[in-house]
Tab-separated table of all heavy atoms in Angstrom:
chain	number	residue	atom	x	y	z
E	425	LYS	N	9.626	11.593	6.077
E	425	LYS	CA	10.577	11.757	7.183
E	425	LYS	C	9.883	11.771	8.514
E	425	LYS	O	8.619	12.013	8.472
E	425	LYS	CB	11.200	13.210	6.974
E	425	LYS	CG	12.096	13.421	5.872
E	425	LYS	CD	12.618	14.925	5.796
E	425	LYS	CE	13.396	15.217	4.636
E	425	LYS	NZ	13.748	16.613	4.540
E	426	PRO	N	10.560	11.491	9.617
E	426	PRO	CA	9.939	11.700	10.877
E	426	PRO	C	9.256	13.093	10.948
E	426	PRO	O	9.928	14.104	10.587
E	426	PRO	CB	11.038	11.546	11.905
E	426	PRO	CG	12.137	10.768	11.150
E	426	PRO	CD	11.976	11.124	9.755
E	427	GLY	N	8.030	13.121	11.340
E	427	GLY	CA	7.355	14.405	11.485
E	427	GLY	C	6.753	14.904	10.124
E	427	GLY	O	6.070	15.964	10.151
E	428	GLY	N	7.024	14.154	9.084
E	428	GLY	CA	6.569	14.545	7.705
E	428	GLY	C	5.056	14.299	7.677
E	428	GLY	O	4.411	13.636	8.409
E	429	PHE	N	4.433	14.931	6.574
E	429	PHE	CA	2.930	14.903	6.399
E	429	PHE	C	2.571	14.104	5.168
E	429	PHE	O	3.174	14.217	4.171
E	429	PHE	CB	2.400	16.278	6.273
E	429	PHE	CG	2.505	17.113	7.577
E	429	PHE	CD1	3.585	17.929	7.748
E	429	PHE	CD2	1.498	17.022	8.500
E	429	PHE	CE1	3.706	18.677	8.948
E	429	PHE	CE2	1.544	17.761	9.685
E	429	PHE	CZ	2.764	18.576	9.919
E	430	LEU	N	1.481	13.278	5.338
E	430	LEU	CA	0.874	12.641	4.229
E	430	LEU	C	-0.479	13.318	3.964
E	430	LEU	O	-1.297	13.444	4.920
E	430	LEU	CB	0.621	11.152	4.538
E	430	LEU	CG	-0.076	10.331	3.447
E	430	LEU	CD1	0.666	10.294	2.167
E	430	LEU	CD2	-0.322	8.858	3.992
E	431	ALA	N	-0.649	13.839	2.744
E	431	ALA	CA	-1.930	14.549	2.422
E	431	ALA	C	-2.574	13.874	1.210
E	431	ALA	O	-2.102	13.790	0.138
E	431	ALA	CB	-1.564	16.051	2.058
E	432	ILE	N	-3.732	13.370	1.587
E	432	ILE	CA	-4.541	12.598	0.539
E	432	ILE	C	-5.765	13.454	0.203
E	432	ILE	O	-6.456	14.046	1.064
E	432	ILE	CB	-5.089	11.198	1.059
E	432	ILE	CG1	-3.954	10.437	1.667
E	432	ILE	CG2	-5.795	10.445	0.016
E	432	ILE	CD1	-2.922	9.858	0.719
E	433	LEU	N	-5.991	13.557	-1.037
E	433	LEU	CA	-7.218	14.286	-1.581
E	433	LEU	C	-8.031	13.285	-2.416
E	433	LEU	O	-7.541	12.689	-3.338
E	433	LEU	CB	-6.888	15.478	-2.342
E	433	LEU	CG	-7.977	16.262	-2.999
E	433	LEU	CD1	-8.801	17.060	-1.850
E	433	LEU	CD2	-7.502	17.309	-3.977
E	434	ASP	N	-9.279	13.001	-2.007
E	434	ASP	CA	-10.046	12.047	-2.864
E	434	ASP	C	-11.569	12.245	-2.717
E	434	ASP	O	-12.041	13.164	-1.964
E	434	ASP	CB	-9.637	10.644	-2.488
E	434	ASP	CG	-9.250	9.888	-3.786
E	434	ASP	OD1	-10.154	9.881	-4.721
E	434	ASP	OD2	-8.151	9.365	-3.867
E	435	PHE	N	-12.321	11.413	-3.483
E	435	PHE	CA	-13.767	11.621	-3.677
E	435	PHE	C	-14.570	10.617	-2.828
E	435	PHE	O	-14.116	9.615	-2.421
E	435	PHE	CB	-14.123	11.266	-5.107
E	435	PHE	CG	-13.403	12.121	-6.105
E	435	PHE	CD1	-12.227	11.684	-6.735
E	435	PHE	CD2	-13.963	13.283	-6.636
E	435	PHE	CE1	-11.599	12.495	-7.699
E	435	PHE	CE2	-13.413	14.093	-7.567
E	435	PHE	CZ	-12.182	13.613	-8.137
E	436	ASN	N	-15.842	11.094	-2.645
E	436	ASN	CA	-16.850	10.086	-2.329
E	436	ASN	C	-17.868	10.238	-3.516
E	436	ASN	O	-18.688	11.270	-3.550
E	436	ASN	CB	-17.594	10.373	-0.958
E	436	ASN	CG	-18.676	9.257	-0.729
E	436	ASN	OD1	-19.100	8.703	-1.693
E	436	ASN	ND2	-18.950	9.063	0.502
E	437	HIS	N	-17.711	9.409	-4.471
E	437	HIS	CA	-18.469	9.514	-5.709
E	437	HIS	C	-20.023	9.297	-5.460
E	437	HIS	O	-20.858	9.684	-6.302
E	437	HIS	CB	-18.064	8.432	-6.757
E	437	HIS	CG	-16.708	8.800	-7.319
E	437	HIS	ND1	-16.470	9.900	-7.984
E	437	HIS	CD2	-15.521	8.142	-7.211
E	437	HIS	CE1	-15.184	9.939	-8.414
E	437	HIS	NE2	-14.613	8.811	-7.892
E	438	GLU	N	-20.379	8.704	-4.272
E	438	GLU	CA	-21.781	8.451	-4.008
E	438	GLU	C	-22.455	9.704	-3.520
E	438	GLU	O	-23.670	9.789	-3.449
E	438	GLU	CB	-21.921	7.308	-2.883
E	438	GLU	CG	-21.422	6.027	-3.379
E	438	GLU	CD	-21.167	4.965	-2.311
E	438	GLU	OE1	-21.326	5.333	-1.100
E	438	GLU	OE2	-20.760	3.897	-2.642
E	439	LYS	N	-21.677	10.765	-3.155
E	439	LYS	CA	-22.269	12.003	-2.609
E	439	LYS	C	-22.243	13.146	-3.643
E	439	LYS	O	-22.381	14.341	-3.241
E	439	LYS	CB	-21.457	12.416	-1.367
E	439	LYS	CG	-21.717	11.450	-0.197
E	439	LYS	CD	-21.088	12.024	1.062
E	439	LYS	CE	-21.406	11.182	2.291
E	439	LYS	NZ	-20.623	11.661	3.458
E	440	ILE	N	-22.082	12.864	-4.895
E	440	ILE	CA	-22.196	14.016	-5.881
E	440	ILE	C	-23.547	14.512	-5.874
E	440	ILE	O	-24.568	13.781	-5.616
E	440	ILE	CB	-21.788	13.432	-7.318
E	440	ILE	CG1	-21.649	14.631	-8.251
E	440	ILE	CG2	-22.912	12.457	-7.819
E	440	ILE	CD1	-21.012	14.229	-9.521
E	441	HIS	N	-23.684	15.863	-6.136
E	441	HIS	CA	-25.012	16.451	-6.133
E	441	HIS	C	-25.164	17.376	-7.270
E	441	HIS	O	-24.350	18.265	-7.499
E	441	HIS	CB	-25.202	17.306	-4.738
E	441	HIS	CG	-26.545	17.840	-4.624
E	441	HIS	ND1	-27.610	17.077	-4.327
E	441	HIS	CD2	-26.954	19.085	-4.734
E	441	HIS	CE1	-28.655	17.881	-4.269
E	441	HIS	NE2	-28.285	19.111	-4.565
E	442	TRP	N	-26.202	17.162	-8.006
E	442	TRP	CA	-26.572	18.102	-9.120
E	442	TRP	C	-27.863	18.843	-8.788
E	442	TRP	O	-28.697	18.314	-8.132
E	442	TRP	CB	-26.808	17.314	-10.397
E	442	TRP	CG	-25.641	16.695	-11.143
E	442	TRP	CD1	-24.817	17.315	-11.957
E	442	TRP	CD2	-25.199	15.324	-11.103
E	442	TRP	NE1	-23.917	16.467	-12.536
E	442	TRP	CE2	-24.133	15.259	-11.998
E	442	TRP	CE3	-25.694	14.135	-10.447
E	442	TRP	CZ2	-23.429	14.034	-12.205
E	442	TRP	CZ3	-24.988	13.006	-10.659
E	442	TRP	CH2	-23.872	12.911	-11.525
E	443	GLU	N	-27.960	20.135	-9.235
E	443	GLU	CA	-29.133	20.900	-9.152
E	443	GLU	C	-29.625	21.458	-10.465
E	443	GLU	O	-28.758	22.205	-11.073
E	443	GLU	CB	-28.877	22.111	-8.183
E	443	GLU	CG	-29.606	22.229	-6.912
E	443	GLU	CD	-30.732	21.380	-6.427
E	443	GLU	OE1	-31.797	21.475	-7.048
E	443	GLU	OE2	-30.592	20.616	-5.474
E	444	PRO	N	-30.663	21.117	-11.074
E	444	PRO	CA	-31.615	20.002	-10.654
E	444	PRO	C	-30.914	18.685	-10.997
E	444	PRO	O	-29.856	18.665	-11.529
E	444	PRO	CB	-32.855	20.249	-11.457
E	444	PRO	CG	-32.376	20.956	-12.693
E	444	PRO	CD	-31.109	21.766	-12.292
E	445	GLU	N	-31.788	17.596	-10.837
E	445	GLU	CA	-31.265	16.308	-11.265
E	445	GLU	C	-30.810	16.289	-12.773
E	445	GLU	O	-31.522	16.917	-13.617
E	445	GLU	CB	-32.364	15.247	-11.116
E	445	GLU	CG	-32.797	14.961	-9.713
E	445	GLU	CD	-31.907	13.874	-9.141
E	445	GLU	OE1	-31.796	12.763	-9.588
E	445	GLU	OE2	-31.187	14.246	-8.164
E	446	PRO	N	-29.692	15.639	-12.998
E	446	PRO	CA	-29.359	15.538	-14.450
E	446	PRO	C	-30.300	14.569	-15.229
E	446	PRO	O	-31.114	13.827	-14.637
E	446	PRO	CB	-27.905	14.979	-14.427
E	446	PRO	CG	-27.925	14.234	-13.177
E	446	PRO	CD	-28.852	14.875	-12.137
Side-chain angles (χ1 to χ4, degrees):
K425 289 181 185 171
F429 291 93
L430 177 62
I432 309 290
L433 178 68
D434 231 307
F435 301 92
N436 182 337
H437 291 296
E438 293 164 3
K439 291 187 176 172
I440 192 166
H441 183 74
W442 286 277
E443 244 350 293
E445 289 279 297

